Amino acid sequence: MAELLVVAFLGGLITGLSPCIVPVLPVVVAGGSAGTSRARPYLIIGGLVVSFSLTELTGSTVLSALGLPQNFLFWLGIGLLGLLAVGLMVSFVGEWIERPFARLGSSRYATSGGGFVLGLSLGLVFVPCAGPILAAISAAEANHRIGFSSFVVTLFYAVGASLPLLVFAVVAQRAVSGWHRLRTHLPAVRKVAGAVLAVTTLALAFGLLDPLQRDVPGYTSALEDHLESGGSIAKQIEALDGEKPNQFAKKAATTAKMATLPDLGKAPDFTGIESWFNTPGDKPLSLAQLKGKVVLVDFWTYSCINCQRSLPHVEGWYKDYEKDGLVVVGVSTPEFAFEHVVSNVRSAAGSLGIHYPVAIDNNYATWDAYNNEYWPAEYLIDPTGEVRAYDFGEGGYGTMESNIRALLTANSVTTLPPRTDVPNKTPTAETTPESYVGYEEEQYDVGTTIVHNKAIVYHAPTTVPLDNFAFDGTWTDRSQEATSGAHASIDLHFVANDVYLVMGGTGSVSVSFNGRHLTTVEVGGTPRLYTLYSGDALQTGQLDLAFSPGVQAYDFTFG
């Protein structure tokens, strides 16, 4: 825990020294110099830490529950900053704002109470700076795992990010208070600070500070990449907040190697399933119904390339061993919003050749019952309902089939068919990592700084580093996907045999490899995985993708 808190604090400190603070710096300086109370800078930063932390931990859930857009809090912060600017410039407005803080001992809006409110509003607009910690908390939040450790990690990150801003606020106030002439004209100083705050608020609202933020050298980027790894922080937070290691993996690790399969514990039943298909009358199944059968539970989601490569093996086992007592249940647990739509899953299952029963686990209830963490993941259950084997990810097909055959034989099946003959297409070479396009999980983009939920013109750099991509033209980047506008394109520098992109919407994508046009991909219908490039061997190169307006890009994967 202590090590994670140090990482969170240092990650925040680096964020506070990075170009990310450029948009809020004028607000902190103006706000800090607008009053005589020595507590004011500390109250500004205290308010920022409070609103930043609460927004990180609960913002997404609260907004979703209220049906509000995810950028609502940003615009609420902009509104509060504008109101505070008017309060500094117009005395009666300032007096009205400071009334709620009269009991705290604030005799004037500009002294202390207003400073805390300024910090609260500033925390709401500072949230986009915290990409890695936001991704980590959002991942935990989506799986209902926010706990005390998540709170403490977020708090340490917020304090680290706020310390440089506190220094600026204190220095600004000391500079003003140290000049006698300025002190005697403090009302005028407040009005000037209010004007600076108003101009900065308008600049934030219209994105006018984005170019400055982009052009300041990103000298902290390497340190940020090292310290603020969203995935590693997320995993540590989940572990600290009570997410036990998968109970079957944990028990298997402590089970002595046996000639027969180990008993890994009672299998959880299917729970919280929204609907079923490929069952008689599309009626639900339960493990009690399946007692006496060998059951393979396969967690999957249809746009996942790893799942798509494993599904032929799972379908092959179902086809060959169903008559001998094997039941396969595919538990569809969605990654993207469109995978919650039952008709989309049903259509994709038909296209992928899935004939075994499928359960729609939209609320992650069965996923959580198994403490599962992976797509794909298989759990093999014996006729008494005990888990006897598991496999996470791709590649372990031979071992899993041997386990299936062993349980069927132990269940009095005397003659089994030959082993299935499905090619193993699991990549063996190291490829470019999966690259999300939506800002919630985005970490491999370069060029123009991502702006959330707003159509802006992006500019790709002349050279895109290996394993990275860059937007160009007009894009609207949302939490899960980016939607193309005028002259939209993506430059992707990759290492792989094959390149895939999950897409939705309607339109076309012109694909060029190393400057040579390859093909045009037509996008439409149910959002799904599209193949952009397929090679005969591992390749290093650049794809230039030109999108017509209205195409939604979700996630690059590689093979």
Side-chain angles (χ1 to χ4, degrees), residues 304-384:
C304 164
I305 185 59
N306 310 88
C307 297
Q308 291 193 15
R309 286 193 290 252
S310 71
L311 287 173
H313 297 271
V314 179
E315 177 63 29
W317 299 331
Y318 174 72
K319 178 182 176 183
D320 287 359
Y321 299 116
E322 180 192 16
K323 64 182 182 301
D324 298 311
L326 175 68
V327 176
V328 176
V329 177
V331 179
S332 172
T333 311
E335 181 175 17
F336 299 113
F338 60 79
E339 291 171 322
H340 286 76
V341 181
V342 177
S343 60
N344 287 350
V345 181
R346 186 188 288 267
S347 174
S351 300
L352 294 168
I354 295 174
H355 298 96
Y356 49 79
V358 174
I360 306 297
D361 184 31
N362 277 345
N363 296 315
Y364 279 63
T366 299
W367 174 285
D368 287 341
Y370 279 79
N371 283 328
N372 189 50
E373 300 177 1
Y374 305 97
W375 292 286
E378 285 88 34
Y379 298 88
L380 185 61
I381 303 168
D382 71 15
T384 68

Side-chain angles (χ1 to χ4, degrees), residues 245-258 260-265 390:
N246 183 285
Q247 69 261 41
F248 308 119
K250 183 177 180 180
K251 191 165 184 179
T254 59
T255 300
K257 187 173 181 180
M258 304 167 62
T260 58
L261 295 177
D263 181 349
L264 303 178
Y390 64 90

Side-chain angles (χ1 to χ4, degrees), residues 9-98:
F9 176 79
L10 291 177
L13 188 62
I14 290 170
T15 301
L17 294 171
S18 74
C20 194
I21 69 167
V22 169
V24 298
L25 190 56
V27 181
V28 171
V29 172
S33 61
T36 57
S37 170
R38 296 216 166 189
R40 181 173 174 78
Y42 298 94
L43 286 165
I44 292 173
I45 300 305
L48 187 153
V49 169
V50 168
S51 64
F52 174 90
S53 299
L54 291 178
T55 301
E56 291 286 359
L57 287 166
T58 64
S60 179
T61 296
V62 171
L63 292 175
S64 298
L66 297 177
L68 296 172
Q70 294 296 313
N71 62 348
F72 174 80
L73 291 176
F74 172 82
W75 289 108
L76 176 62
I78 291 293
L80 287 173
L81 286 176
L83 180 62
L84 293 171
V86 175
L88 284 169
M89 293 186 288
V90 182
S91 59
F92 77 87
V93 176
E95 291 171 1
W96 173 74
I97 294 173
E98 66 94 23

Side-chain angles (χ1 to χ4, degrees), residues 166-342:
L166 176 62
V167 172
F168 282 113
V170 171
V171 170
Q173 187 192 58
R174 298 289 168 85
V176 171
S177 62
W179 294 347
H180 178 73
R181 182 174 296 180
L182 284 177
R183 292 182 66 183
T184 59
H185 295 86
L186 194 57
V189 172
R190 293 194 190 103
K191 287 182 171 58
V192 171
V196 172
L197 186 55
V199 170
T200 306
T201 301
L202 290 173
L204 283 168
F206 289 100
L208 300 180
L209 291 175
D210 292 347
L212 177 60
Q213 186 180 10
R214 290 193 301 268
D215 294 339
V216 174
Y219 54 89
T220 59
S221 59
L223 286 173
E224 288 181 271
D225 289 342
H226 179 68
L227 283 174
E228 295 184 316
S229 170
S232 62
I233 292 178
K235 288 183 183 298
Q236 292 180 67
I237 289 173
E238 288 175 355
L240 288 169
D241 277 344
E243 180 178 26
K244 298 172 290 186
N246 183 285
Q247 69 261 41
F248 308 119
K250 183 177 180 180
K251 191 165 184 179
T254 59
T255 300
K257 187 173 181 180
M258 304 167 62
T260 58
L261 295 177
D263 181 349
L264 303 178
K266 198 73 176 174
D269 206 350
F270 308 111
T271 181
I273 299 301
E274 182 173 312
S275 62
W276 290 80
F277 61 86
N278 288 350
T279 63
D282 287 347
K283 291 182 179 179
L285 298 178
S286 69
L287 289 182
Q289 291 175 263
L290 301 176
K291 189 174 182 180
K293 301 280 190 179
V294 175
V295 180
L296 182 71
V297 176
D298 176 57
F299 286 93
W300 70 295
T301 188
Y302 79 78
S303 72
C304 164
I305 185 59
N306 310 88
C307 297
Q308 291 193 15
R309 286 193 290 252
S310 71
L311 287 173
H313 297 271
V314 179
E315 177 63 29
W317 299 331
Y318 174 72
K319 178 182 176 183
D320 287 359
Y321 299 116
E322 180 192 16
K323 64 182 182 301
D324 298 311
L326 175 68
V327 176
V328 176
V329 177
V331 179
S332 172
T333 311
E335 181 175 17
F336 299 113
F338 60 79
E339 291 171 322
H340 286 76
V341 181
V342 177

Side-chain angles (χ1 to χ4, degrees), residues 5 7 26 41 43 108 111 142 153 175 241 284 286 303 406 433 448 460 499 511:
L5 295 182
V7 170
L43 286 165
R108 294 195 178 197
T111 55
V153 168
D241 277 344
S286 69
S303 72
T448 304
V499 180
V511 181

